[in-house]
Amino acid sequence: MSVTPRHGKSASIWIDSTAGTLINFSSGVRSMTLPRSMDTPEVTTFGDNDRNYIVGLRGAELSFDGVFSSTHAEVLDGIFGDATSTSYSFEFSPDGSTAAGRHLLKGELVPASLEYGASFDDAVSMSVSWTVTGSITSTNH
């Protein structure tokens, strides 16, 4: 199987606003990650010579950081100030959202942390992390 390398510059991230509208956060974002994990409970018992494990629960987190934008901050501040919503939809395409055959990950997020930063000799920054709740759908579009 041949691998076709793709540049990360076309990555995209869309997240629901408090109004339930998907908002494109891609402009201004410098890096994104979506690490996924799987619990592996140990089931080794007396008499076993090797450790044994079973497949457990999946988990994931989404984070991104980049240049501060007051437009994005307005949406993020609304999300992090919303005590009524249980989750927000997301769409993450690590290799671009417009071309056919690109990878698309979808799911629901719960806000975890939001940070704004400023330094006298650098651009104002933002950093956001989320906990994925439920499953992630992985497709090519």
Side-chain angles (χ1 to χ4, degrees):
M1 180 167 88
S2 176
V3 174
T4 303
R6 298 208 169 116
H7 200 281
K9 68 182 180 181
S10 298
S12 68
I13 181 69
W14 296 71
I15 297 176
D16 265 349
S17 68
T18 54
T21 304
L22 279 174
I23 305 294
N24 186 347
F25 279 86
S26 306
S27 70
V29 172
R30 290 183 176 173
S31 68
M32 293 185 280
T33 61
L34 181 62
R36 298 166 81 178
S37 62
M38 176 84 67
D39 291 340
T40 53
E42 184 171 353
V43 294
T44 309
T45 61
F46 291 127
D48 290 341
N49 290 321
D50 299 295
R51 293 186 181 274
N52 293 292
Y53 300 89
I54 59 173
V55 174
L57 300 173
R58 296 181 298 226
E61 296 179 0
L62 174 78
S63 63
F64 59 88
D65 60 64
V67 180
F68 175 85
S69 158
S70 58
T71 303
H72 292 156
E74 184 178 343
V75 175
L76 293 171
D77 291 343
I79 289 171
F80 278 80
D82 182 10
T84 60
S85 183
T86 56
S87 65
Y88 296 86
S89 297
F90 78 93
E91 293 184 6
F92 172 47
S93 181
D95 59 351
S97 63
T98 58
R102 302 298 176 147
H103 197 63
L104 181 65
L105 300 154
K106 292 181 179 183
E108 294 290 316
L109 301 168
V110 175
S113 70
L114 170 61
E115 180 179 329
Y116 301 126
S119 172
F120 78 93
D121 63 348
D122 204 358
V124 178
S125 64
M126 69 166 183
S127 179
V128 188
S129 66
W130 314 79
T131 302
V132 175
T133 182
S135 63
I136 293 176
T137 304
S138 176
T139 61
N140 285 331
H141 61 108

